[in-house]
Amino acid sequence: MFLNYFKNLFLKYTLRNRRQEVSTLASTSAIRSVGLVIDETSFFEKENLIKELISNGFSANSISILVYRETMNKNETYLHYTFNSSILDWNASISDAVVTNFIQTDFDLLVSYYDIEKIILLLITNRSKAKFKVGFSSIDKRLHHLTITTQIGNYSTFVHELFKYLKILNKIES
């Protein structure tokens, strides 16, 4: 417990020094692939969120999902790939191949569905190769191209606002 406190403190310092602002919008190409990072610690309706994204026009095959949990039960089977902060070492390196592959994937859209800043989630969003990043306004503004102001439990409003702005930006067809 004591070491975890120092590890988190050191990682916050490291992330703050390495954080890069998101690049400006370079392309207006349509969205074909979506990466979704969900913090299941504070949001339990992930299946409803995914259904809402699919019902608004994304195909189920185009959505890749990562789910973060504070604690994981080894006996429990998860529907989506689930990880916790144990994959992060003192050098801010991620030791999980699936998460590393997710970060390296060139998504057209990355949705960071968390509203509390946790080092591992910030690191994934910051390092992601996604072309367009969307998240909550309570998270550091330098990480996203678009931030949406709503409560995390109000996923339908989040998705509605997301699609409204994607249409305005010509990222999806009307």
Side-chain angles (χ1 to χ4, degrees):
M1 185 72 167
F2 186 70
L3 284 176
N4 283 337
Y5 173 77
F6 279 117
K7 179 181 176 183
N8 282 337
L9 193 65
F10 177 72
L11 289 172
K12 283 180 186 178
Y13 176 77
T14 304
L15 181 63
R16 187 171 13 121
N17 289 337
R18 290 186 187 174
R19 189 171 295 165
Q20 302 169 5
E21 285 194 33
V22 70
S23 62
T24 57
L25 292 176
S27 95
T28 57
S29 61
I31 293 174
R32 297 190 196 333
S33 61
V34 179
L36 180 60
V37 180
I38 301 173
D39 181 4
E40 197 176 59
T41 307
S42 56
F43 180 70
F44 305 106
E45 300 182 57
K46 67 178 178 290
E47 295 306 322
N48 291 333
L49 171 65
I50 296 165
K51 286 178 186 174
E52 190 82 21
L53 289 170
I54 292 169
S55 69
N56 277 287
F58 292 143
S59 75
N61 296 334
S62 68
I63 301 174
S64 298
I65 304 162
L66 276 183
V67 179
Y68 171 80
R69 294 186 76 167
E70 292 280 332
T71 58
M72 292 176 49
N73 185 352
K74 292 185 181 189
N75 298 328
E76 190 174 348
T77 305
Y78 301 106
L79 184 59
H80 304 288
Y81 189 78
T82 305
F83 66 98
N84 62 10
S85 58
S86 66
I87 66 169
L88 191 61
D89 67 9
W90 285 78
N91 296 327
S93 299
I94 296 174
S95 61
D96 190 292
V98 175
V99 176
T100 303
N101 188 32
F102 183 89
I103 291 170
Q104 296 301 321
T105 303
D106 195 20
F107 293 113
D108 295 320
L109 173 67
L110 176 71
V111 178
S112 301
Y113 205 82
Y114 55 89
D115 65 347
I116 298 172
E117 291 187 353
K118 296 180 182 172
I119 298 298
I120 185 71
L121 298 173
L122 296 172
L123 197 62
I124 290 170
T125 300
N126 186 43
R127 290 185 180 171
S128 174
K129 303 291 186 221
K131 296 174 187 164
F132 190 71
K133 299 177 184 180
V134 177
F136 284 92
S137 60
S138 60
I139 302 300
D140 190 347
K141 312 285 188 268
R142 296 175 290 179
L143 293 175
H144 301 105
H145 294 101
L146 174 66
T147 58
I148 298 174
T149 304
T150 187
Q151 300 296 322
I152 193 164
N154 198 352
Y155 62 88
S156 58
T157 302
F158 182 89
V159 173
H160 174 74
E161 292 294 313
L162 171 64
F163 277 87
K164 180 173 83 173
Y165 286 107
L166 290 177
K167 286 177 186 174
I168 290 170
L169 295 170
N170 293 326
K171 295 269 185 201
I172 58 173
E173 295 178 14
S174 300

